[in-house]
């Protein structure tokens, strides 16, 4: 196996290389097929995950007329440009709940922000895999909480989302609640009064 400019015996390479070879072995030569890849991100570095997910979709899907279904727990395997074709599966009352992320993003009018702002893309992709989302009214709350509680939130699988003011909070909360993810909101008193009139259900976080 060639790694950069050096060659190594295949027995000496890491498990990530074997994982990539396994994926390629599954894809190469298949045409007009439905291919299911279950957890292809295992043993792969995040940068490799991003690169190979785009390669899988762009080359082995369109060029060879394959329908490729990727099952993953990694946000790095979800290219931002393919959010419209992403489905989230969650468990509620011992039953699977399946929601099309793309349709939900489009209906919530969040698609433009997600596509155009890199920090929004990253946060939203991470939140798709979270057990809970903490929605921040703006940059002040977002930066403060990330600085003080970032590591704790990561360990608890809680995603942090920054809104562009109080008016955006209801649609963001509704978006994640529709995905089956519970939400808490960090905001100032002015936003709290505004939200009391929106009839959305969320936990309050005092900052």
């Amino acid at each position: 196996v060639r790694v950069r400019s050096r060659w190594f015996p295949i027995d000496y390479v890491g498990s990530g290389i074997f994982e990539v070879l396994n994926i390629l072995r599954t894809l190469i030569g298949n045409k007009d097929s439905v291919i299911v890849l279950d957890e292809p991100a295992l043993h792969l570095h995040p940068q490799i995950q991003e690169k190979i997910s785009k390669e899988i979709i762009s080359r082995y899907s369109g060029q060879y007329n394959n329908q490729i279904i990727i099952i993953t727990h990694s946000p790095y395997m979800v290219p931002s440009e393919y959010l419209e074709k992403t489905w989230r599966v969650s468990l509620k009352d011992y039953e699977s709940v399946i929601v099309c992320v793309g349709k939900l993003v489009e209906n919530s009018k969040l698609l433009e922000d997600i596509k155009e702002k890199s920090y929004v893309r990253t946060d939203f992709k991470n939140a798709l895999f979270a057990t809970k989302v903490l929605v921040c009214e703006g940059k002040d709350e977002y930066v403060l909480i990330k600085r003080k509680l970032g590591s704790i939130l990561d360990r608890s699988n809680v995603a942090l989302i920054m809104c562009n003011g109080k008016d955006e909070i209801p649609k963001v909360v509704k978006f994640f609640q529709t995905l089956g993810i519970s939400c808490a909101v960090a905001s100032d008193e002015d936003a709290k009064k505004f939200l009391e009139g929106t009839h959305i259900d969320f936990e309050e976080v005092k900052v």
Side-chain angles (χ1 to χ4, degrees), residues 9-26:
I10 195 166
D11 292 340
Y12 292 178
V13 300
S15 56
I17 300 293
F18 279 106
E19 192 66 34
V20 171
L21 291 174
N22 262 330
I23 293 170
L24 294 176
R25 183 173 59 87
T26 302

Side-chain angles (χ1 to χ4, degrees), residues 173-192:
V173 170
K174 185 178 179 181
F175 172 83
F176 286 108
Q177 287 179 342
T178 305
L179 286 173
I181 306 172
S182 61
C183 292
V185 174
S187 64
D188 57 24
E189 285 298 319
D190 181 53
K192 180 183 174 183

